C-alpha cells in the first residue's frame, strides 16, 4: 500500500517509527474471537485495546492477557483510555484527548479533524467510516471516493476504518487499514 502524503509533508511531520499498516480494534462484540484474531495477525501489525464495556478491574485483567499475547507475537500494543501502569506502545483516540505516550493514532472523520490530529501531534490517523459498519448501522459513510480525497490531503499516514476487509483495503491507496469485525 502506498503512503498518502508527500515527501515534503513527511519532512514537516516526521513519523518516529513506521506506524503499523494493519490494526485490529477490540470491541465487546469481537471479544470472544480476539485470541484467534491476534494469532493470525502478522508480526508488526497493531492491536488497539478499547473494551470500554468492562469495569476497571476486569478491563485491566483483559488488557494484560491480550497484551501478553501481542508482545509474544511481535504485535504493537495500543490502548484507548489506558489505565495507569499499562505497558503500551502507543495510544488511540480523538485528537484532543490523545495522551503523549508512544505512537499516537487519532480517529478522524473529516478534514477539520485531520487538522486537529496534526496539531495534536498524532503519528497517524484512522479515517472513517469508509463503508457501512455494524458499529453504526445506517450511519453516513465517506465512501471510497471521498475517503480517497481526504486521505490525499492528510499530511500523516492514513489507515482506513469502517466496514473494512482485506479485499476492500486492496482497492484503497493508503498506508493501511483497521477493522473490528473484518479481522476477528
Amino acid at each position: 500500500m502506498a503512503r498518502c502524503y508527500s515527501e515534503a509533508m513527511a519532512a514537516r511531520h516526521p513519523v518516529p517509527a513506521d506506524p503499523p499498516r494493519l490494526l485490529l480494534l477490540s470491541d465487546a462484540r469481537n471479544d470472544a474471537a480476539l485470541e484467534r484474531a491476534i494469532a493470525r495477525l502478522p508480526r508488526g501489525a497493531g492491536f488497539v485495546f478499547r473494551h470500554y464495556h468492562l469495569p476497571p478491574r476486569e478491563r485491566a485483567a483483559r488488557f494484560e492477557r491480550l497484551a501478553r499475547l501481542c508482545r509474544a507475537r511481535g504485535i504493537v500494543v495500543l490502548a484507548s483510555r489506558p489505565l495507569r501502569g499499562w505497558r503500551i506502545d502507543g495510544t488511540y483516540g480523538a485528537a484532543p484527548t490523545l495522551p503523549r505516550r508512544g505512537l499516537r493514532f487519532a480517529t478522524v472523520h473529516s478534514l477539520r479533524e485531520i487538522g486537529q490530529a496534526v496539531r495534536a501531534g498524532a503519528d497517524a490517523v484512522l479515517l472513517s467510516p469508509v463503508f457501512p459498519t455494524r458499529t453504526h448501522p445506517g450511519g453516513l459513510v465517506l465512501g471510497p471516493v471521498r475517503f480517497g480525497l481526504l486521505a490525499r490531503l492528510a499530511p500523516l499516514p492514513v489507515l482506513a476504518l469502517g466496514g473494512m476487509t482485506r479485499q476492500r483495503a486492496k482497492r484503497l491507496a493508503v498506508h493501511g487499514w483497521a477493522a473490528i469485525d473484518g479481522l476477528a
Side-chain angles (χ1 to χ4, degrees), residues 43-166:
R43 185 179 257 333
F47 172 66
V48 178
F49 184 81
R50 299 180 319 158
H51 272 58
Y52 312 125
H53 64 287
L54 295 177
R57 186 171 281 156
E58 289 176 42
R59 187 171 183 252
R62 187 67 173 138
F63 169 79
E64 286 303 327
R65 178 183 170 132
L66 295 171
R68 268 195 309 277
L69 289 172
C70 289
R71 283 191 276 280
R73 295 198 30 78
I75 306 297
V76 174
V77 178
L78 307 165
S80 178
R81 301 182 204 158
L83 298 177
R84 182 169 292 166
W86 284 7
R87 200 176 92 198
I88 57 175
D89 301 310
T91 54
Y92 162 91
T97 63
L98 278 177
R100 299 210 178 271
R101 290 175 71 179
L103 283 171
R104 301 170 75 210
F105 285 79
T107 180
V108 299
H109 308 90
S110 67
L111 190 56
R112 180 182 59 78
E113 290 180 359
I114 291 170
Q116 289 174 337
V118 170
R119 288 187 296 281
D123 297 305
V125 294
L126 280 77
L127 179 56
S128 74
V130 184
F131 299 102
T133 71
R134 284 183 32 196
T135 306
H136 304 288
L140 295 176
V141 299
L142 296 169
V145 173
R146 184 158 186 236
F147 170 86
L149 292 171
L150 289 171
R152 279 191 287 282
L153 293 171
L156 300 170
V158 173
L159 286 86
L161 176 63
M164 293 303 300
T165 63
R166 291 182 200 287

Side-chain angles (χ1 to χ4, degrees), residues 1-10 15 18 21 114 124-125 127 144-160 169 171-177:
M1 287 184 202
R3 287 194 187 279
C4 269
Y5 54 101
S6 69
E7 294 301 320
M9 285 299 227
V15 178
D18 195 29
R21 294 176 182 275
I114 291 170
V125 294
L127 179 56
V145 173
R146 184 158 186 236
F147 170 86
L149 292 171
L150 289 171
R152 279 191 287 282
L153 293 171
L156 300 170
V158 173
L159 286 86
R171 296 189 340 234
L172 300 173
V174 292
H175 179 80
W177 64 287

